[in-house]
Amino acid sequence: MKRLLPSTLLAFTLGLSASLLAQTAAAGNWDALQPDRDQVIASLNVVELLKRHHYSKPPLNDARSEKIYESYLKLLDPTRSYFIAADIAEFDRWRNQFDDLLKSGDLQPGFTIYKRHLTRLEERLHFTLGLLEKGVDSFDFGRDESLLIDRENAPWAKDKAALDDLWRKRLKDEVLRMKIAGKQPKAIQELLIKRYNNQLSRLEQTRSEDIFQTYINAFAQTYDPHTNYLSPDNAENFDINMSLSLEGIGAVLQSDNEHVKVVRLVPAGPAEKSKQLAPADKIVGVAQANGEMVDVIGWRLDEVVKLIRGPKGSVVRLEVIPASNAPNDETSKVVAITREAVKLEEQAAKKSILELPHEGRTYKLGVIEIPAFYLDFKAFRSGDPDYKSTTRDVKRLLSELKAEKVDGVVIDLRNNGGGSLQEATELTGLFIDEGPTVLVRNNDGRVDVLADENGGTYYTGPLAVLVNRLSASASEIFAGAMQDYHRALIIGGQTFGKGTVQTIQPLNHGELKLTLAKFYRVSGQSTQHQGVIPDISYPDEVDTKEIGESALPEAMPWDSIRPAIRPEADPFKPLLSELKARHDRRTAQDPDFVFTRNRLDLSRQLMQETTVSLNEGKRRAQHDSIESKQLAIENERRKAKGEELLTELKEEDENALPVENGKNKKPEDDAYLAETGRILLDYLGLSEALAKH
């Protein structure tokens, strides 16, 4: 069973059971956690399946063993805050043995390392709770000290005393963030005591299945980030695990150390329609309707999923830290979203008319927004002549636009996470005569060619395709084909870069999702990792280091194979430098383009900071400075547009993307869409002038 995945994988990390344990439980007694026979057999099956069927078929040897070891340590202790140097020295004896251990079904070292982690985590939680008992006011916030926050490559703590100092600083940092966010000392203390007590209680509910799942995933994900093991419980929720689409709110999530992060919003889903969530937002709390907010920091992703899901029509409240905050700003907001299923008709392609003045006259451009590549499989298979699909809808919209005598068409694929591969192929066929549309290279080296075999081109007029970082999978296949056939100008941001195909293999115990094929454009270039590079680029709306295939560990590389078509003369190439020059001149002072560039520049500057001050005076000054810069960026945009200036930023101002797709009623108000139209009109004028010469 092959499925095209539109987004990143569900990256299960070390987590703790959501159930609370009675306080009489025997803490620290992990000896009973042992691998069982079913887990041993499943591990041997995983080894064999990866050896025979994974796309890359890399050898399971000492080099792979080192990767497994490093991957496991990173899953268990990504910030190097639990293990001490002596633990690592002890574990190092297995560094080059995990290949042999897995081949023989010996899971003990994996269990030993995990159980040591449980011991260290329990020690840290007790230590932190001990500090909290003294009161949060016991911290000296006038002391000039700092905390290293980028700890991915930090040295392991030499002993428990070093860990004590690190965790004292971590707790001080948490308290300071909440103080600056306006919380009172009593409320801070109550929240943190409850958080750490809950983590301690959940820790004591750890099962051997938690260990097995984490260990086997540390192994599987050294092959690529979309290959992972699903435990029997998680296999029951296969569709959620595979698509990351949460039934109820329509959000794509992944683990990000102790947080759960929004990757993208499902088009026409409740979260997207609410306009309250954005990519890279962190979810720190979940509540049902008017119920108590449950702190989910440190929870496993699948546990947070269970809290967010619920009956259609019910309300879930999420406490989130907006991505627009500075990296060290934990100021949160609460959003309420009514759960509902994403309806096919709400994801349907729709059209609008973009009217733009250009060189003395007003032009009309047709805009077709495609939120997803959809196909009503049930109606299609039953022979319903009126089945709904992307291609059929776009064909109808093109017919209507031609009747309105538009001067060109823009296909808007922003935030389109993909969907049906068949639809990507058929949609390509509307704009080319006939020929290959995408190549699929299998794990045996065989290349299957998907093609449009229907002669004739439905729309032959000027065409531009607008994409961004959240355009993925099928979107990349269509945009890549339009670029390779020189059929359209590709404009916008570098796309997501997911160019692999996964399949699900049932095991005796759980399931294995593994990568068995890779997509290639008709030019022979992979869409993997690199995505589609636009002919003319716009400023990124999200940080590409945070969101996208290249942001995932062990992402498979970009490469190329033999092309399926012969390169023809590119009509855009001679004009690209002039098109870019005109675009640059127009957008150098465009308020929305300047705003997006400045905001991302500030975010990237702040992300480069590796330490944070624990002195309250310095921290507040830094916080005020960042807010001042954010306010200045917003007011610069408002001033240029003749809008009222702000004296302070509100949440809606911080999160608003003025160029975001669908935010404005008139297409001319969407800065990125309007500029795409102007570029297309520039091309029309330049190509006509060139033809006359």
Side-chain angles (χ1 to χ4, degrees):
M1 174 173 52
K2 297 180 184 178
R3 296 199 187 184
L4 176 65
L5 302 190
S7 55
T8 56
L9 83 161
L10 179 58
F12 289 108
T13 62
L14 168 69
L16 316 169
S17 172
S19 304
L20 296 182
L21 186 69
Q23 296 303 311
T24 55
N29 183 17
W30 315 114
D31 292 341
L33 299 176
Q34 298 292 334
D36 61 28
R37 182 173 180 274
D38 285 343
Q39 290 168 346
V40 170
I41 294 172
S43 72
L44 292 170
N45 286 337
V46 169
V47 169
E48 193 62 23
L49 284 168
L50 290 174
K51 175 184 175 183
R52 292 177 179 271
H53 300 296
H54 190 272
Y55 177 81
S56 301
K57 292 191 177 71
L60 182 52
N61 53 17
D62 286 357
R64 177 71 41 187
S65 175
E66 286 205 35
K67 281 194 170 189
I68 295 166
Y69 179 50
E70 297 296 339
S71 171
Y72 198 31
L73 291 180
K74 192 167 185 178
L75 277 178
L76 294 175
D77 193 359
T79 59
R80 300 195 170 191
S81 303
Y82 301 106
F83 292 128
I84 59 175
D87 295 326
I88 304 303
E90 182 182 337
F91 303 155
D92 273 346
R93 70 182 189 272
W94 293 312
R95 177 180 289 274
N96 297 317
Q97 295 181 21
F98 287 103
D99 53 333
D100 300 319
L101 292 165
L102 285 162
K103 288 174 184 175
S104 65
D106 185 354
L107 301 176
Q108 281 299 338
F111 272 64
T112 298
I113 293 173
Y114 195 113
K115 287 188 282 188
R116 181 68 56 81
H117 179 265
L118 294 176
T119 299
R120 296 292 182 238
L121 177 52
E122 183 185 40
E123 291 171 354
R124 291 301 102 212
L125 293 173
H126 280 304
F127 172 79
T128 306
L129 285 166
L131 290 179
L132 284 168
E133 287 175 6
K134 299 175 184 177
V136 297
D137 286 332
S138 63
F139 287 111
D140 179 6
F141 291 109
R143 185 177 171 187
D144 197 8
E145 59 181 348
S146 61
L147 171 69
L148 178 67
I149 52 175
D150 182 3
R151 296 189 52 81
E152 184 178 357
N153 298 308
W156 297 101
K158 64 179 181 179
D159 51 30
K160 290 184 182 179
L163 277 185
D164 287 349
D165 188 56
L166 171 62
W167 278 75
R168 176 189 64 79
K169 289 181 176 180
R170 279 180 51 144
L171 182 59
K172 186 176 179 181
D173 177 54
E174 282 189 287
V175 174
L176 187 52
R177 291 182 192 209
M178 293 184 189
K179 280 188 72 175
I180 292 174
K183 286 188 170 64
Q184 296 301 310
K186 184 180 178 182
I188 294 172
Q189 183 157 344
E190 288 177 355
L191 173 62
L192 291 176
I193 287 175
K194 187 173 184 179
R195 175 182 296 172
Y196 286 111
N197 268 323
N198 283 348
Q199 288 190 17
L200 190 60
S201 298
R202 292 163 61 240
L203 172 68
E204 292 160 358
Q205 282 291 303
T206 303
R207 305 167 302 158
S208 67
E209 189 60 40
D210 297 319
I211 301 179
F212 179 69
Q213 177 177 273
T214 306
Y215 179 47
I216 295 302
N217 268 319
F219 163 44
Q221 290 177 11
T222 62
Y223 286 73
D224 79 281
H226 303 285
T227 292
N228 67 303
Y229 168 76
L230 306 178
S231 69
D233 287 346
N234 289 317
E236 289 180 10
N237 292 319
F238 163 69
D239 285 332
I240 296 170
N241 293 335
M242 189 163 122
S243 72
L244 283 181
S245 234
L246 303 186
E247 181 185 313
I249 70 166
V252 174
L253 309 178
Q254 72 179 32
S255 291
D256 183 29
N257 291 339
E258 293 183 331
H259 293 95
V260 167
K261 181 172 73 175
V262 177
V263 176
R264 70 175 182 87
L265 305 178
V266 176
E272 192 271 337
K273 287 191 287 187
S274 78
K275 307 301 180 189
Q276 297 182 89
L277 285 181
D281 284 356
K282 294 176 181 176
I283 298 173
V284 297
V286 182
Q288 309 304 323
N290 295 319
E292 181 183 359
M293 185 67 68
V294 178
D295 185 287
V296 295
I297 292 177
W299 285 40
R300 200 169 58 204
L301 179 55
D302 56 335
E303 293 175 334
V304 179
V305 167
K306 289 175 185 176
L307 284 184
I308 295 177
R309 295 178 75 203
K312 179 182 176 182
S314 61
V315 174
V316 62
R317 289 186 297 121
L318 305 177
E319 183 180 358
V320 302
I321 299 172
S324 56
N325 286 11
N328 302 315
D329 184 355
E330 295 275 318
T331 306
S332 63
K333 65 175 184 176
V334 175
V335 302
I337 299 174
T338 301
R339 300 175 175 106
E340 60 176 299
V342 178
K343 298 173 183 174
L344 184 63
E345 56 268 26
E346 291 183 334
Q347 288 197 325
K350 51 184 177 287
K351 71 175 174 71
S352 59
I353 298 290
L354 182 65
E355 294 191 4
L356 295 172
H358 184 76
E359 296 182 350
R361 61 163 278 204
T362 297
Y363 286 79
K364 288 200 307 183
L365 296 175
V367 178
I368 298 180
E369 179 189 343
I370 305 176
F373 284 84
Y374 51 88
L375 171 63
D376 188 340
F377 283 104
K378 187 176 179 181
F380 174 69
R381 287 169 179 162
S382 67
D384 184 343
D386 296 320
Y387 72 89
K388 217 168 165 47
S389 79
T390 302
T391 306
R392 293 177 69 143
D393 286 347
V394 170
K395 189 173 183 179
R396 173 178 52 80
L397 296 175
L398 284 170
S399 177
E400 294 171 6
L401 290 172
K402 284 195 281 188
E404 294 185 58
K405 297 183 178 179
V406 295
D407 297 292
V409 169
V410 176
I411 302 292
D412 188 350
L413 294 181
R414 287 175 294 175
N415 307 327
N416 182 323
S420 167
L421 175 61
Q422 176 182 331
E423 286 303 307
T425 288
E426 293 193 4
L427 185 67
T428 300
L430 296 182
F431 302 99
I432 65 170
D433 184 6
E434 61 180 345
T437 56
V438 65
L439 314 177
V440 183
R441 188 179 187 274
N442 299 284
N443 55 8
D444 59 1
R446 186 183 77 254
V447 176
D448 295 328
V449 180
L450 279 66
D452 165 43
E453 297 175 351
N454 299 317
T457 307
Y458 189 75
Y459 175 74
T460 58
L463 186 66
V465 177
L466 179 57
V467 293
N468 66 4
R469 187 60 166 176
L470 300 178
S471 305
S473 282
S475 292
E476 298 176 287
I477 289 169
F478 173 76
M482 293 296 95
Q483 193 174 52
D484 292 340
Y485 277 103
H486 310 312
R487 181 62 192 87
L489 275 167
I490 310 302
I491 299 170
Q494 181 180 4
T495 62
F496 195 92
K498 182 178 185 300
T500 56
V501 186
Q502 283 70 45
T503 187
I504 292 289
Q505 293 287 343
L507 303 169
N508 67 300
H509 183 79
E511 297 176 341
L512 179 69
K513 175 160 69 71
L514 79 159
T515 298
L516 79 167
K518 201 169 179 181
F519 289 123
Y520 292 85
R521 295 161 52 164
V522 293
S523 60
Q525 302 176 66
S526 172
T527 57
Q528 170 62 19
H529 201 284
Q530 179 174 280
V532 177
I533 306 296
D535 297 310
I536 295 178
S537 295
Y538 287 169
D540 294 316
E541 295 171 75
V542 297
D543 192 341
T544 54
K545 291 183 179 178
E546 292 289 314
I547 301 292
E549 184 79 4
S550 58
L552 298 173
E554 301 298 333
M556 291 174 65
W558 176 92
D559 63 349
S560 61
I561 59 175
R562 180 180 301 189
I565 61 172
R566 291 180 179 178
E568 296 181 1
D570 182 352
F572 303 115
K573 191 173 181 179
L575 307 176
L576 276 181
S577 61
E578 178 60 23
L579 289 174
K580 289 176 182 176
R582 292 187 182 190
H583 159 70
D584 289 342
R585 284 195 296 270
R586 264 195 308 268
T587 60
Q589 303 301 322
D590 181 280
D592 290 328
F593 277 80
V594 171
F595 172 84
T596 307
R597 279 193 292 261
N598 289 345
R599 195 175 68 162
L600 190 61
D601 286 346
L602 177 60
S603 175
R604 285 173 172 165
Q605 288 172 26
L606 297 173
M607 290 293 289
Q608 290 176 359
E609 296 180 4
T610 57
T611 61
V612 61
S613 174
L614 299 179
N615 176 281
E616 185 171 358
K618 289 184 177 180
R619 190 70 162 269
R620 286 189 182 276
Q622 181 195 35
H623 182 267
D624 292 345
S625 172
I626 293 169
E627 280 206 338
S628 176
K629 290 176 182 176
Q630 291 174 329
L631 179 61
I633 290 171
E634 171 62 24
N635 277 336
E636 183 181 354
R637 180 177 74 88
R638 286 172 170 265
K639 182 179 180 181
K641 300 183 84 166
E643 297 175 1
E644 183 181 353
L645 302 186
L646 301 176
T647 55
E648 63 176 348
L649 278 178
K650 300 174 184 177
E651 285 174 357
E652 57 268 27
D653 300 314
E654 294 176 12
N655 292 327
L657 278 174
V659 294
E660 186 175 316
N661 192 18
K663 275 278 186 185
N664 305 287
K665 292 181 181 179
K666 292 171 60 180
E668 291 83 5
D669 292 334
D670 183 332
Y672 279 9
L673 184 58
E675 176 59 18
T676 301
R678 293 186 187 100
I679 293 170
L680 186 57
L681 293 176
D682 279 341
Y683 167 71
L684 284 176
L686 289 170
S687 59
E688 286 174 6
L690 190 65
K692 290 176 182 177
H693 287 82

